[in-house]
Amino acid sequence: MARILSYLDAIGEALAQEMRRDPAVVVFGEDNIGGTGTDGKLGNAWGPTKGLNEMFPDQIFDAPITEAAFVGAAVGAAATGLRPVADLLFVDFAGVCFDQILNQAAKLRYMVGGKASVPLVLRAMWGAGMRRGAQHSQALYPIFTHIPGLKVVVPSTPADAKGLMTTAIRDNDPVVFFEHKMLYFSRGVVPEESYEIPFGQARTVREGTDCTIVAIGRMVGEAEVAAEQLAMDGMSCEVIDPRTVSPLDTESIYASVRRTGRLVVVDESNPRCSVASDIASLVAQNTFDSLRGPVQMVTSPHAPTPFSPALEDAYAPNSGQIVSAVQRTVRSAVPA
Amino acid sequence: MTMNSLATALTPDGLIEIYRVMRTIREFEDRVHVEFTGRDIPGAVHLYAGQEAVAAGVCSVLSDDDYIASTHRGHGHAVAKGCDVTGMMLELYGKAGGLCGGKGGSMHIADFDRGMLGANGVAAGGVPLAAGAALSAKVRGTDQVSVAFVGDGGANQGAFAESLTLAAVWQLPVVFVVEDNGFAQATGTRFHLAGKRVALRGEAVGIPSQVVDGYDVFAVRDAAVEAVERARSGDGPTLLECKADRFYGHMEGWDQQAYRLTSEIDELRSARDCLVLFTERVLAEGSVTADELAGVDATVRARVAAAVEEARSAKDPDISELLTDVYVSY
């Protein structure tokens, strides 16, 4: 049965269902129980693990502020029989434990010739919009996408967040799970029962014939708004949410571009060496014959995320910029 | 070291076994030194010779099911944990049939079937992994113990300090074994180590910590018996700081130890060789005979020589292996 749930509660529900299904699923991070020794009711800074301690006291732990140790411990635990979900809180904190992600989690299986696997999930909050400044707002998923061995998930809706978290926990490879903090309290229809959404399978958010818009994370919503506005001007846009950027569903993107002849990629991360530039290059390489206009990228500028509300509001891409990008590629289009 | 120590509980067979492990490491490393100089072995190799008593002493109290995570200088730990010498040699040569299929090499040598979670290319990189293996044992309710080997250089890394805290707070069944071999790469301990000794850092977070003579396999084993027992019985982590200088430089080829006096190395090899110290003691006690030890020497020498021969003539991995084992499924 489906009902309305927030993105945050959808993630919490996936964690609870997986912890119940498999005692090897353990959850830890700073304040994951929250105030251990006090009331134990916090459930991390935002509450997705609230109540899990009552249900699964042997499967959830608070960690000291020791990311290098507890993320590394997640790797060691995963390689020796557990399925840990380690909570990095803000993805920006990856900086202090990147060795454990980049050199240990991602490479262990390869370096031992396939004799070990690392079934861990690293939860990571990301994204601009909450006035948290440059060290709490980054969209770092391209860095992780670049590293072989890691899988990178960027859900945009509550239903996707739950299904993809379930898949992530059951997956036998290390998964970095990006949770956009501006989506945490967004609500949507979420099935109650447990379900998986396969990695590498994009979601067609909206069908269209004139231009393909590939949008990631919070940008999916902006792309939908843009597509709605463009429809009023008689332009039909297809909106595709890759859902996972590693693996990336290139076939769905190529197929769409072959139908529409145009591509706009919308990505909140900085533009250089990004998922947007990657998709733009892949499409140029593989569907060149289908293109009827120049590929457009709509991204944040190559700058850290500012604090000032006025500046931050101008930082992340918005529907207006997406509309302009679609118009640019349509205007400069060659005849079909 | 007294006659009443726990290590004296070793039977003659136990003594021979611990000697076999130390001799195998020494023979393996000396042979690799020669073969590397001939450029037959690719890449970077960091030799453990001189520190054998630490790996042998600690691992002699572990079972196959227990875990270790190792350092740059991982061959000795691998041998002591029971890894196959031929598989190791094939791995160093980067050949098919190596312990890691040729994908790991010297710096990443591992064998999960033996609880050897890997040498590590990052100083202290394996320490949190060992803590995680200990967490795994604790959650799964087994009595497995995990050992994190780390050098004096690695002990300066944040990952080491954080792991001490995490292990203490979570009361993990882990033993931190700091091997002070005198150098962090080429910088002497007295130039890089803040505070008198690493063991103080364990004490700072409430972990029982002890300085151990790393040339004396009996002293190491005694300390390890106590530490492993503490971990196995649920009483949490221990830190052992073992002092044992290395015979060779930081890295083969690159480091000729220009920063050390020849006399210093000679003195180390003659007066503080763990194998010599072991031999003198067991022969004086009459626990084993010189013939028995010589028998071990001959067997080990033949075994390592055969491993080198096999590695030299082994096939390279198939090029298709380049893309396997990146993911379980993708």
Side-chain angles (χ1 to χ4, degrees), chain A residues 152-335:
Chain A
V152 183
V153 181
V154 195
S156 68
T157 68
D160 276 8
K162 180 177 171 182
L164 290 166
M165 177 57 86
T166 303
T167 307
I169 294 170
R170 295 179 189 178
D171 195 276
N172 287 320
D173 293 307
V175 178
V176 190
F177 197 90
F178 280 82
E179 306 170 12
H180 201 298
K181 55 178 97 62
M182 293 299 282
L183 294 176
Y184 265 172
F185 302 101
S186 68
R187 294 163 70 79
V189 174
V190 178
E192 249 174 68
E193 67 277 9
S194 184
Y195 59 96
E196 290 183 69
I197 295 175
F199 289 171
Q201 204 170 95
R203 179 171 66 98
T204 302
V205 179
R206 178 191 176 104
E207 292 187 347
T209 52
D210 296 329
C211 182
T212 299
I213 305 174
V214 174
I216 299 160
R218 189 173 74 79
M219 290 301 114
V220 174
E222 293 294 320
E224 283 185 270
V225 172
E228 201 62 45
Q229 282 179 24
L230 287 158
M232 290 190 276
D233 293 337
M235 264 178 279
S236 162
C237 292
E238 185 146 292
V239 177
I240 293 181
D241 172 4
R243 299 201 281 206
T244 65
V245 292
S246 182
L248 179 67
D249 184 358
T250 50
E251 285 315 310
S252 292
I253 295 170
Y254 297 161
S256 175
V257 172
R258 285 188 187 110
R259 281 193 299 274
T260 64
R262 301 180 184 94
L263 173 69
V264 171
V265 193
V266 192
D267 180 0
E268 190 181 316
S269 64
N270 309 116
R272 298 292 318 284
C273 303
S274 63
V275 172
S277 61
D278 182 43
I279 292 173
S281 128
L282 286 165
V283 164
Q285 206 175 347
N286 293 287
T287 69
F288 183 75
D289 290 349
S290 312
L291 285 173
R292 295 196 288 135
V295 172
Q296 299 293 304
M297 281 175 28
V298 182
T299 71
S300 298
H302 196 63
T305 314
F307 165 70
S308 158
L311 296 177
E312 192 183 29
D313 289 345
Y315 179 79
N318 56 44
S319 57
Q321 289 167 278
I322 301 168
V323 166
S324 301
V326 171
Q327 286 168 343
R328 271 199 308 278
T329 187
V330 169
R331 263 193 234 118
S332 51
V334 295

Side-chain angles (χ1 to χ4, degrees), chain B residues 118-143:
Chain B
N120 212 295
V122 178
V127 178
L129 304 185
L135 171 69
S136 172
K138 185 171 177 164
V139 169
R140 289 183 287 108
T142 71
D143 70 347

Side-chain angles (χ1 to χ4, degrees), chain B residues 6-59:
Chain B
L6 294 159
T8 54
L10 279 167
T11 60
D13 282 352
L15 288 168
I16 290 286
E17 176 57 20
I18 216 163
Y19 178 76
R20 189 190 61 76
V21 169
M22 290 197 293
R23 176 57 70 195
T24 303
I25 299 171
R26 178 67 55 83
E27 182 66 24
F28 189 92
E29 298 295 66
D30 283 349
R31 191 65 199 265
V32 167
H33 174 73
V34 171
E35 298 304 317
F36 188 88
T37 308
R39 301 305 304 173
D40 272 359
I41 296 173
V45 164
H46 308 77
L47 298 180
Y48 190 74
Q51 304 175 221
E52 290 88 347
V54 182
V58 170
C59 293

